[in-house]
Amino acid sequence: EVVCVGVSGMGPCVALTAADGTPLRPAILYGVDTRASRQIAALNDQLGGDDTILARCGSVLSSQAAGPKIAWVREEEPEVYQRAQRLFMPASYLVWHLTGAYTLDHQSASQCTPLYDIEARDWYRPWADIVAPGIPLPELRWAGDIAGTISQAAADDTGLAPGIPVVTGTIDAWAEALSVDAHNVGDLMLMYGTTMFFINTVTQPVRSAELWSTIGALKDTRNVAGGMATSGAITAWLRELFGSDYRELVGAAAISPPGANGLVMLPYFAGERTPILDPDARGVIAGLSLEHSRGDLYRAALEATAFGVRHNIEAIEAAGGTIDRIVCVGGGTQGDVWPQIVSDITNRVQVIPTETIGASYGMAWLAACALQPSSPARWNPPARTLEPRGEVRWRYDELYRHYRDLYHHTAAIQHALSAIQHDTARERR
């Protein structure tokens, strides 16, 4: 029996529609879409620079921010923008179709930099009028608030009974944090997926030009967050390249020793989000020889993502975040090889819960709480923990230093090659 509906979706995204909700163009995705670099630079100049934007919004403008992507549509597709009357993200778009309510949760809104004031917890109208003139912004609610009820039209489409409440919902990573009870102060949710994502719950807004300071999914909570542009996406690329299945590659990586027989990889295959915020960064594999195997390459990819996790953890703590407990979620937790590498490289214990299916489980809990409050710890208790192995720490500390140096020493070359890639892509079009 369905008594309440929870929704989540990727984000922050920009989906512009007509007043009736008809999409006007494909949605622009979160930080992996780097098209708005020019708009980021222009808005920085117009609004007073990184420090001014950081003070009001909690984050600087980057490829993760929704605001520059709205500006991109306004400048590059003015005929589309002139018809835009609604701003959606995936979860709020579902709510619209289920209930007719035009809403957005505070967490998602706080990633619409520079449209949202993180201290006032409201839209900042002066900057919204500059970035998104003429578009009525959605009503702000908390993720667990009931946005509306199933309409008759939605009932006809879905088979759900009309009148069932629907909560406002939020971005999938925050729903995943809820699913594993990782929203308490000092918790870090570590999501293993196509990308890596980090959410640390803090008592006060934490501002860092390397990270994202956001509102939490639950009322009166605050987070400092980060995300890598690729992680599992690289393993999928290698699987396709090698024509092997994951089980075979993970087995080969498990045989390769810590350090992948002297390989270091930069996982910036789609640019990078936090903490370097470099959309033109590119992947690098250093140390290759004719002796290396596909197991070494696959292990180097897993280690690269773990080095990225360590880099983000260090940035979170340097910014003022406190990490007392790391809770994992996502498909990458199904086996121990990848998470064990992360524990070894970060020298951190990880808690792996009973259920790691993520966002849908978290939204089921949040929907249930809209009717009767409950604790997610009861829904999803810990199943096991992974301890770092001290005997490999020296090797990973050495390779982490090389990982950090490799970006700085090759960044100019990465940027030059990225420019060639952009030119080539334009020529193909």
Side-chain angles (χ1 to χ4, degrees):
E1 180 186 1
V2 179
V3 294
C4 191
V5 176
V7 296
S8 67
M10 68 176 76
C13 303
V14 172
L16 298 179
T17 78
D20 64 356
T22 301
L24 300 176
R25 67 170 330 279
I28 302 177
L29 301 189
Y30 52 100
V32 296
D33 190 305
T34 61
R35 75 182 70 192
S37 297
R38 188 171 60 81
Q39 285 72 27
I40 289 171
L43 285 171
N44 261 321
D45 289 342
Q46 189 173 7
L47 302 181
D50 282 348
D51 291 343
T52 301
I53 295 170
L54 183 66
R56 184 171 296 283
C57 303
S59 305
V60 299
L61 292 176
S62 70
S63 66
Q64 183 77 354
K69 297 176 183 183
I70 299 171
W72 183 92
V73 177
R74 191 182 74 246
E75 294 173 14
E76 300 293 330
E77 300 176 353
E79 70 289 349
V80 170
Y81 189 85
Q82 287 173 5
R83 296 159 56 203
Q85 287 296 301
R86 296 287 184 268
L87 168 64
F88 289 109
M89 292 192 191
S92 64
Y93 188 68
L94 286 173
V95 170
W96 167 270
H97 280 284
L98 290 171
T99 70
Y102 180 45
T103 64
L104 188 66
D105 67 291
H106 282 275
Q107 198 294 308
S108 300
S110 69
Q111 297 199 59
C112 288
T113 309
L115 277 66
Y116 185 91
D117 188 321
I118 200 167
E119 294 289 354
R121 290 184 293 189
D122 200 357
W123 297 118
Y124 185 57
R125 301 292 172 177
W127 286 357
D129 290 342
I130 292 172
V131 178
I135 298 179
L137 297 177
E139 178 185 352
L140 293 174
R141 298 188 180 180
W142 294 100
D145 291 346
I146 293 174
T149 60
I150 298 290
S151 66
Q152 185 60 58
D156 293 341
D157 286 341
T158 64
L160 295 168
I164 292 175
V166 178
V167 297
T168 301
T170 191
I171 291 173
D172 53 7
W174 274 260
E176 298 221 35
L178 295 175
S179 79
V180 295
D181 190 31
H183 59 83
N184 310 289
V185 173
D187 285 349
L188 177 75
M189 191 269 323
L190 175 55
M191 184 179 76
Y192 289 77
T194 304
T195 68
M196 283 279 197
F197 210 86
F198 318 87
I199 301 174
N200 179 217
T201 302
V202 294
T203 55
Q204 298 293 328
V206 171
R207 288 173 171 80
S208 167
E210 298 180 326
L211 300 160
W212 311 312
S213 185
T214 76
I215 299 296
L218 299 182
K219 189 174 183 180
D220 297 328
T221 59
R222 295 183 180 273
N223 303 131
V224 58
M228 297 167 62
T230 55
S231 55
I234 302 175
T235 66
W237 173 73
L238 286 172
R239 178 180 61 84
E240 184 176 342
L241 202 64
F242 291 139
S244 304
D245 61 30
Y246 283 121
R247 185 185 300 274
E248 186 178 358
L249 288 170
V250 169
I255 296 171
S256 178
N261 284 311
L263 289 183
V264 175
M265 181 184 294
L266 296 183
Y268 309 147
F269 283 49
E272 187 55 299
R273 297 192 282 174
T274 62
I276 66 171
L277 299 177
D278 185 354
D280 292 316
R282 289 297 179 265
V284 175
I285 304 173
L288 274 172
S289 76
L290 295 175
E291 302 300 318
H292 284 111
S293 68
R294 60 182 180 174
D296 295 330
L297 279 165
Y298 199 81
R299 185 178 188 95
L302 298 179
E303 291 176 346
T305 64
F307 289 136
V309 172
R310 178 168 170 175
H311 195 183
N312 274 278
I313 285 175
E314 290 177 355
I316 289 170
E317 292 185 326
T322 301
I323 300 173
D324 300 320
R325 185 177 71 130
I326 298 177
V327 187
C328 303
V329 69
T333 63
Q334 299 306 306
D336 281 352
V337 173
W338 190 7
Q340 184 64 60
I341 289 172
V342 171
S343 275
D344 291 342
I345 285 177
T346 61
N347 196 36
R348 306 278 179 146
V349 176
Q350 295 178 85
V351 177
I352 299 179
T354 303
E355 298 287 347
T356 59
I357 56 174
S360 57
Y361 205 70
M363 290 314 303
W365 174 76
L366 202 60
C369 288
L371 305 180
Q372 182 175 337
S374 178
S375 167
R378 294 174 53 198
W379 278 54
N380 198 3
R384 67 190 193 280
T385 59
L386 286 176
E387 301 276 346
R389 297 175 299 173
E391 66 270 22
V392 300
R393 184 176 180 183
W394 68 274
R395 171 63 72 195
Y396 280 137
D397 284 348
E398 176 189 19
L399 291 175
Y400 180 63
R401 290 193 295 272
H402 294 320
Y403 170 88
R404 293 290 301 274
D405 288 343
L406 187 58
Y407 170 70
H408 292 295
H409 291 312
T410 63
I413 297 172
Q414 293 175 45
H415 295 164
L417 295 175
S418 173
I420 293 173
Q421 293 165 13
H422 289 311
D423 289 343
T424 304
R426 280 192 293 269
E427 289 169 3
R428 284 199 302 265
R429 292 197 295 269

